[in-house]
Amino acid sequence: MARPDKAADVAELTENFKSSNGAVLTEYRGLTVAQLRDLRTTLGDDVNYAVVKNTLTKIAAKDAGVESFDSLLQGPSAIAFVKGDPVVAAKGLRDFAKANPLLVIKGGVLDGKALGPDEINKLADLESREVLLAKLAGAMKAAPQQAVSLFAAPLSQAARLFAALQDKLPAEAAPVADEAPAAEAVQDAPADAPAEASTEETASADS
């Protein structure tokens, strides 16, 4: 009976990894059942905070293509599987860890990218999707210049986050610059068309 049960547990963990936007691995050594219950309440319905077995989780993570957890799966482990806004989940975990130091954030994964504890803290510092939407609604009523400034702020925050994840941002400026002459050539082409048409019309009229 043990093997079918373990296979079912691995399958469930694998599905959690695959169906989640992100996952955060924590160690909960010393936390009481009541504290874990409070943490689940704090994280809300969009986060499944599950106590896991390290051996089975290593198998499930590998099956789901998550390799960054392998070396971190030591001691009492629990994973926050995030199906909603990852910023909200990161804030909840960080704030709970501050109030309850026995909760240790060990690492995570977001959209397939490995995250360290410091990067999860940076993610927690960003504004949530709800806050950005509220600001967007306000920007629709603001002057265009104010709206442009507002949109620039979240984009710069996202850039800082991706820089933390990837160490550098992809250089996309060069290909765009290379395409500019071609675009100008296309724009110049129609300018000659009326002249040619005018010449043909003149020839027809003379004949």
Side-chain angles (χ1 to χ4, degrees):
M1 291 297 294
R3 289 185 177 178
D5 289 346
K6 289 182 179 180
D9 289 342
V10 169
E12 182 178 358
L13 286 169
T14 302
E15 178 59 27
N16 280 331
F17 276 117
K18 290 182 176 180
S19 62
S20 300
N21 301 327
V24 180
L25 176 63
T26 67
E27 182 175 318
Y28 65 94
R29 189 192 306 272
L31 291 177
T32 65
V33 173
Q35 287 173 318
L36 290 175
R37 183 172 58 248
D38 290 343
L39 175 56
R40 290 188 175 97
T41 301
T42 298
L43 294 176
D45 296 334
D46 290 334
V47 178
N48 175 20
Y49 188 75
V51 173
V52 298
K53 295 181 179 179
N54 293 335
T55 303
L56 300 183
T57 304
K58 286 182 181 181
I59 299 173
K62 183 178 180 180
D63 290 345
V66 177
E67 301 178 355
S68 56
F69 280 7
D70 193 67
S71 62
L72 302 177
L73 285 164
Q74 299 176 7
S77 300
I79 299 177
F81 293 102
V82 183
K83 297 187 180 347
D85 189 343
V87 172
V88 174
K91 287 181 189 294
L93 288 167
R94 181 197 61 186
D95 293 347
F96 188 90
K98 285 182 178 179
N100 302 271
L102 292 176
L103 179 73
V104 179
I105 298 175
K106 303 179 73 173
V109 60
L110 176 63
D111 292 334
K113 299 179 179 64
L115 299 176
D118 290 341
E119 292 164 325
I120 294 172
N121 286 331
K122 289 181 182 180
L123 182 62
D125 288 334
L126 298 179
E127 292 177 322
S128 68
R129 181 175 179 273
E130 289 186 359
V131 171
L132 292 178
L133 288 176
K135 288 189 175 183
L136 174 59
M140 300 301 291
K141 300 178 181 179
Q145 185 174 359
Q146 291 174 323
V148 169
S149 299
L150 178 60
F151 289 128
L155 287 175
S156 64
Q157 289 175 337
R160 286 196 297 272
L161 174 60
F162 287 129
L165 297 176
Q166 301 176 351
D167 292 333
K168 63 180 180 178
L169 294 173
E172 297 178 351
V176 174
D178 293 341
E179 292 172 2
E184 293 176 358
V186 172
Q187 292 177 353
D188 291 340
D192 297 334
E196 293 176 359
S198 178
T199 303
E200 292 176 358
E201 290 174 0
T202 302
S204 298
D206 293 340
S207 61

